[in-house]
Amino acid sequence: MLPEPTERLRFRPMVMADLDDVTALLSAPDPVRLDRPARTRDDAVRWIEWQGRNYAEHGFGLWVVETHAGNFVGDCGLTVQDVEGTPHVEVGYHVLPAMRRRGHASEAARAVRDRAAAEGVEHLVALIRPDNTPSQGVARRLGMVLERTAHVHDGDALVFGMRLQPLSPRRARSGGTPRRTCR
């Protein structure tokens, strides 16, 4: 279920051979949250293993994003996130510091959003810290709107969301439960 390549970017599954790049991505200083604890190579191993479980269980996860020349940009994809007891499909994106502010996150996230819609995901969210305005901008460029604030992963998060496919009248009357949330 890989997203289609974009004008500048392509996607592929994350594998353990990506460990050095993923370590650099995860351990990069966070320009918004300076107090974030440093992430380690072991954290990167767990991140890659988590993607393998996501691919096996859901058919998606965070994919490596690279240029058509093969230069590592970051990761972007879909994960299932628990938002106060309810599972939601989230679009996530992380870009190396040297590659930021070039539109890579928005370009990759659009391709992922389009793949999610093609696969039948009806509601897509992005969970973003309140102080992370660059990420909020990416969500807005995707067409997402702020739906609410939630307590997620031991902190407050803004829940940006969007409906990808209209609900049938029958599902709308029954409360709008998506027919497909994970694949």
Side-chain angles (χ1 to χ4, degrees), residues 53-69:
R53 290 189 304 275
N54 283 330
Y55 303 151
E57 185 176 341
H58 305 295
F60 56 71
L62 295 171
W63 297 288
V64 166
V65 177
E66 57 191 10
T67 65
H68 290 286

Side-chain angles (χ1 to χ4, degrees), residues 110-129:
R110 274 191 303 274
V112 168
R113 175 204 60 201
D114 294 349
R115 174 48 75 191
E119 293 294 324
V121 174
E122 292 183 0
H123 185 252
L124 191 64
V125 300
L127 306 174
I128 304 171
R129 289 186 316 274

Side-chain angles (χ1 to χ4, degrees), residues 8-142:
R8 300 181 297 163
L9 305 171
R10 65 185 183 196
F11 301 84
R12 64 174 176 77
M14 190 179 295
V15 295
M16 207 50 76
D18 296 311
L19 183 58
D20 289 341
D21 288 327
V22 173
T23 299
L25 179 68
L26 296 180
S27 65
D30 187 331
V32 176
R33 191 172 157 206
L34 301 174
D35 64 338
R36 185 189 82 183
R39 294 192 185 166
T40 66
R41 191 171 181 85
D42 288 341
D43 293 326
V45 167
R46 286 188 291 277
W47 190 261
I48 294 168
E49 290 171 345
W50 177 49
Q51 301 326 309
R53 290 189 304 275
N54 283 330
Y55 303 151
E57 185 176 341
H58 305 295
F60 56 71
L62 295 171
W63 297 288
V64 166
V65 177
E66 57 191 10
T67 65
H68 290 286
N71 298 317
F72 184 86
V73 172
D75 67 19
C76 186
L78 302 168
T79 59
V80 176
Q81 297 290 332
D82 181 298
V83 181
E84 297 177 329
T86 303
H88 290 274
V89 177
E90 180 194 28
V91 58
Y93 34 87
H94 308 94
V95 176
L96 285 172
M99 303 296 275
R100 292 179 186 158
R101 307 308 254 169
R102 299 181 188 181
H104 290 108
S106 294
E107 185 174 334
R110 274 191 303 274
V112 168
R113 175 204 60 201
D114 294 349
R115 174 48 75 191
E119 293 294 324
V121 174
E122 292 183 0
H123 185 252
L124 191 64
V125 300
L127 306 174
I128 304 171
R129 289 186 316 274
D131 55 354
N132 191 343
T133 55
S135 232
Q136 293 171 39
V138 172
R140 286 186 178 97
R141 283 188 288 283
L142 287 179

